[in-house]
Amino acid sequence: MPVDRAGDVAQVVHDLESLHLLSVASPRSEAGGESEGAWIAFGLIFASLVAVHVRFLSPRLGGYLSQVGEAMTHCVFWLCAGLAFNLAVWASMGADLAAAWLSGYSLEWLLSIDSIFVFLAVFKAHGTPQDARRTALCLAILGALLMRAVFFWLGVALVGATPVQAVMGVALIFSG
């Protein structure tokens, strides 16, 4: 009995569309349009969290985390902020989108742990002095955010093009 891969792919695409995962996620107003107020609120809350982090959690200029407890404080702070945001997604957009967001957040968290080991290996291989590591990490994180934004928007633009969708669809069908 032949396998209907095209039907399977169509079902997955339909499921993802029903969760709004194939469109650019954004806060929506009651009328279905973009909600500027939600974006402004998100920006203000995020800026406030960064300000709290910089003012109360970050070591003084030139310093670095010397205790495991300090590092754990940072982790718990941002984990709680992420979970609070997940609750807001659940309350405003429903359990399905909250579960999808939490899955993505968990994946990013795990990938960031992997990045720590890569940074340590690069620092050790190049003999990076301890006092230069913080600057290097900040520049690496800013570069990663910039590149992620560029590739995200490039990907959104390319997926909107029908030929790219066709090529990616064929690749999905034949890859199994």
Side-chain angles (χ1 to χ4, degrees):
M1 183 170 159
V3 176
D4 181 20
R5 291 189 174 163
D8 292 342
V9 170
Q11 181 62 42
V12 169
V13 168
H14 178 271
D15 292 344
L16 290 174
E17 284 175 341
S18 69
L19 290 174
H20 307 290
L21 295 179
L22 289 183
S23 61
V24 178
S26 62
R28 302 275 178 190
S29 67
E30 298 298 323
E34 297 291 329
S35 170
E36 290 181 25
W39 280 112
I40 291 169
F42 174 78
L44 291 173
I45 291 169
F46 182 74
S48 299
L49 288 171
V50 170
V52 167
H53 178 87
V54 168
R55 176 67 178 104
F56 298 108
L57 297 177
S58 290
R60 300 294 169 233
L61 291 176
Y64 58 93
L65 296 175
S66 59
Q67 302 293 323
V68 173
E70 290 177 77
M72 290 303 294
T73 301
H74 287 238
C75 290
V76 168
F77 174 78
W78 286 108
L79 180 64
C80 289
L83 293 176
F85 184 78
N86 191 24
L87 285 173
V89 169
W90 176 75
S92 64
M93 297 181 189
D96 289 339
L97 287 176
W101 187 90
L102 185 60
S103 296
Y105 183 78
S106 301
L107 178 65
E108 287 292 333
W109 187 273
L110 293 172
L111 290 174
S112 69
I113 292 171
D114 179 55
S115 297
I116 292 170
F117 293 110
V118 171
F119 283 131
L120 289 174
V122 168
F123 289 160
K124 184 172 179 134
H126 293 286
T128 306
Q130 185 71 32
D131 59 340
R133 290 181 180 187
R134 181 176 176 153
T135 302
L137 281 173
C138 286
L139 291 174
I141 291 168
L142 289 174
L145 289 173
L146 176 67
M147 294 306 294
R148 182 173 290 197
V150 167
F151 284 112
F152 176 77
W153 291 112
L154 181 63
V156 168
L158 287 176
V159 168
T162 304
V164 174
Q165 286 179 332
V167 170
M168 294 299 178
V170 170
L172 280 174
I173 291 169
F174 287 108
S175 67

